[in-house]
Amino acid sequence: MSAETPVQSAGTFTRLRRRFRDWRGTRPFWAGLLTILGGVPIAYFPYATLKLGTMSLTMATTAGAGSLIIGVLLITLGLTMWFQQATRVFAGVASIILALVSLVVSNIGGFIIGFLLAMLGGALAVSWAPGKAEGAEGGRHKSGRGPAGEGAVEPTPQGASDEPGPPHTPYETGDGGPDDGVRSEARNGGYRVG
């Protein structure tokens, strides 16, 4: 191998897997998947014929059409969560309502399986929020800073305990100290500190 030999790029499978991971990270993927999986048993069980040996068990009910409609709507809402992220709250609330209706209409919500999956998918869709790009805030939080960027306590410097640290100054210019003429309530949005 020489210096002019080009580096082999990642394989096709690796590129597809990375693209899928990026696609999945920008939408409520698991909410949509659970909602789709919840719609399948709700739509399937009223029309299924189960065979137990020589005995045939049919779940056909008079509400079979309602079960089919609820199941197809749940599958559609799951796909909507994937491809129309802006409507995720509507799709989540609609999934929860349809899952609750399926308890009465569709064999106890597809024998509770479809009900639980659709409820969980709807709840995940309502609670999902798009992530922020890493470059938007300059990467990770700086050390000693809170989650919202309000730093209160600076980390102590690493070193021997007998080494003197930086001198402690209770107030700096612009901190609202006694020399600034600015009260701490005005600086902290009306909340009294200390």
Side-chain angles (χ1 to χ4, degrees):
M1 204 168 161
S2 69
E4 288 89 27
T5 305
V7 177
Q8 293 289 332
S9 62
T12 304
F13 177 74
T14 305
R15 279 183 297 179
L16 290 175
R17 185 175 54 89
R18 287 181 183 161
R19 284 180 54 197
F20 175 70
R21 184 175 52 191
D22 291 341
W23 177 82
R24 186 185 70 196
T26 60
R27 60 202 71 243
F29 176 76
W30 296 108
L33 182 66
L34 289 175
T35 304
I36 291 170
L37 292 177
V40 170
I42 290 174
Y44 174 73
F45 283 139
Y47 295 101
T49 301
L50 304 172
K51 297 232 178 212
L52 299 173
T54 58
M55 184 173 66
S56 175
L57 181 63
T58 303
M59 298 288 172
T61 64
T62 56
S67 299
L68 183 64
I69 290 171
I70 290 172
V72 168
L73 283 175
L74 283 171
I75 291 170
T76 305
L77 287 170
L79 292 171
T80 301
M81 291 173 198
W82 281 355
F83 298 109
Q84 296 292 327
Q85 300 87 275
T87 61
R88 65 180 161 66
V89 175
F90 166 75
V93 170
S95 299
I96 291 170
I97 291 171
L98 285 173
L100 289 171
V101 170
S102 75
L103 282 173
V104 178
V105 174
S106 173
N107 295 328
I108 311 170
F111 296 117
I112 304 292
I113 299 166
F115 164 73
L116 290 176
L117 289 172
M119 285 290 286
L120 187 58
L124 285 174
V126 170
S127 66
W128 183 83
K132 294 179 181 172
E134 288 183 21
E137 289 187 23
R140 301 265 181 204
H141 293 294
K142 294 182 169 77
S143 65
R145 312 254 335 153
E150 305 113 20
V153 178
E154 292 295 323
T156 58
Q158 299 291 333
S161 61
D162 59 347
E163 293 179 12
H168 176 69
T169 56
Y171 300 105
E172 293 180 14
T173 305
D175 268 354
D179 297 334
D180 281 342
V182 178
R183 297 183 58 174
S184 62
E185 291 90 358
R187 183 174 40 92
N188 292 321
Y191 294 104
R192 187 172 188 157
V193 178

